[in-house]
Amino acid sequence: MYRLLFDLVLRRLDPETAHHFGMVVIRVAAVPPFSWIARALTRPAPQLRTEALGLVFDSPFGVAAGFDKNAVGALGLHALGFGHIEVGTVTAIPQDGNPKPRLFRLPADRALINRMGFNNEGAAVVAGRLARMRRRTNRPVLGANIGKSRVVDVADATADYVASTRLVAPVADYLVVNVSSPNTPGLRGLQAVETLRPLLSAVKDAAGGTPLLVKIAPDLTDDEIDGISALAVDTGLAGIVATNTTIARTGLTTDAGRVEAMGAGGLSGAPLRERSLEVLRRVRAAVPADFCVIAAGGVETAADVRERLAAGADLVQGYSAFVYRGPLWAREINRGLVR
């Protein structure tokens, strides 16, 4: 039924407008009695319980950062069967993000291109929402993804990340430093080990006991992946998220002229599957067995999730396929994992 709705209605809407419409439905799913009904239909089987980062997850499959930027849909997403929700990316200073249009569908490739630019209401607002959710008995594991405020110079990025950390870390179950989005000028340059070391050390000190991870790009070289992996272990991080979106446009079915017209931005979805899997395997081989690795990028089916777990991921995240699979996507994944 969702596929028919998508083909007849949703794909005719601007993608960002459709996302906001979908988020309204997701928020309704968090309200009783709808939440009771949704949870009864989608609750992960007990055998999917997973331990990572010192936390217990209902399922290894969760929602990647970018879907719920302002922590308004986390409870609804939990009701729909996701084992954790990583909110954000949030910044210390609220910002509108890049000019619209900034989100594009590639249905033939089951992919998206976005150049959202960390549009969010700011770390203080998101921290307040996380604090309220943490007081609930039946809640998901809540991760928070933080990025650099656009108006802050790259040279001052560390202080900006620390400001977000001090607000968000006390109310998040885990924290992720995003230095890999292609949509904030200069951000990916922070992945250089000599720049990243002082940033991660400062954020880790500010995060206190909250597990800290770093999210990396799929476009790094093998040597860069090895270097960041070693740095993450050396600085005492809890894990790595592999991977963010890619700036590559290779292997797409969608007409090249149409893709070029969409402009700059990060590509996510099915075309990212192979490269994200390669990066996952590279990271897993470079870090200790007890170091958490979260896999993201090109995850669409239960088979994809199983493949990531077999490759060494502790947890797996998805985002883009929600657009094409609909609100019962997590239920489909969880049932497939049990089978």
Side-chain angles (χ1 to χ4, degrees):
M1 190 170 76
Y2 176 79
R3 184 63 58 87
L4 183 63
L5 175 66
F6 178 81
D7 289 340
L8 294 180
V9 180
L10 296 180
R11 70 181 298 168
R12 301 174 188 274
L13 297 176
D14 166 74
E16 192 170 347
T17 300
H19 178 79
H20 290 313
F21 173 76
M23 190 59 76
V24 170
V25 176
I26 289 167
R27 294 176 72 174
V28 169
V31 179
F34 304 109
S35 60
W36 304 335
I37 297 168
R39 194 63 181 163
L41 290 172
T42 66
R43 181 181 287 108
Q47 56 263 48
L48 293 181
R49 285 167 65 89
T50 302
E51 293 187 20
L53 300 171
L55 304 164
V56 178
F57 298 75
D58 290 342
S59 162
F61 183 59
V63 181
F67 194 93
D68 186 11
K69 295 179 181 295
N70 291 307
V72 297
L75 295 179
L77 290 165
H78 179 239
L80 292 175
F82 290 95
H84 69 279
I85 294 89
E86 187 174 309
V87 304
T89 298
V90 300
T91 54
I93 301 170
Q95 55 189 42
D96 293 332
N98 291 321
K100 299 177 181 179
R102 54 194 182 181
L103 180 62
F104 307 88
R105 301 187 198 93
L106 288 73
D109 294 288
R110 303 188 312 283
L112 302 172
I113 290 175
N114 94 82
R115 52 173 175 272
M116 303 300 288
F118 292 167
N119 54 307
N120 74 104
E121 296 176 36
V125 171
V126 170
R129 291 183 181 134
L130 289 173
R132 288 190 291 275
M133 281 189 280
R134 280 175 66 90
R135 292 195 288 266
R136 299 175 68 103
T137 302
N138 182 25
R139 68 167 180 88
V141 173
L142 297 165
N145 186 296
I146 59 172
K148 185 186 78 67
S149 304
R150 191 181 187 91
V151 297
V152 172
D153 190 87
V154 172
D156 301 317
T158 296
D160 187 62
Y161 276 96
V162 167
S164 293
T165 300
R166 287 176 175 154
L167 289 165
V168 174
V171 291
D173 292 313
Y174 70 87
L175 189 70
V176 178
V177 173
N178 186 348
V179 287
S180 50
S181 169
N183 300 319
T184 296
L187 188 76
R188 283 192 168 194
L190 295 174
Q191 292 178 111
V193 169
E194 62 273 14
T195 307
L196 190 56
R197 182 181 293 277
L199 190 158
L200 292 179
S201 295
V203 171
K204 185 175 185 301
D205 289 343
T210 303
L212 180 66
L213 301 88
V214 63
K215 187 168 188 175
I216 63 174
D219 308 305
L220 297 171
T221 66
D222 287 348
D223 286 345
E224 288 170 329
I225 294 167
D226 293 344
I228 293 175
S229 298
L231 172 62
V233 174
D234 187 51
T235 52
L237 266 62
I240 288 176
V241 182
T243 64
N244 212 318
T245 59
T246 180
I247 57 175
R249 299 290 189 266
T250 55
L252 298 177
T253 301
T254 304
D255 176 74
R258 182 166 170 255
V259 173
E260 184 177 359
M262 293 175 184
L267 175 73
S268 61
L272 194 52
R273 175 178 169 270
E274 289 302 325
R275 179 55 185 163
S276 290
L277 184 58
E278 290 173 0
V279 175
L280 165 63
R281 288 174 172 151
R282 189 89 191 182
V283 170
R284 183 76 272 172
V287 299
D290 61 352
F291 190 83
C292 181
V293 182
I294 301 179
V299 175
E300 185 172 357
T301 66
D304 293 332
V305 176
R306 282 195 299 271
E307 184 177 47
R308 304 303 171 97
L309 295 173
D314 297 282
L315 301 166
V316 182
Q317 296 178 338
Y319 174 173
S320 300
F322 195 111
V323 173
Y324 300 106
R325 296 273 180 165
L328 294 180
W329 180 39
R331 175 178 181 265
E332 175 187 337
I333 294 284
N334 288 328
R335 293 195 170 191
L337 290 177
V338 171
R339 288 196 296 269

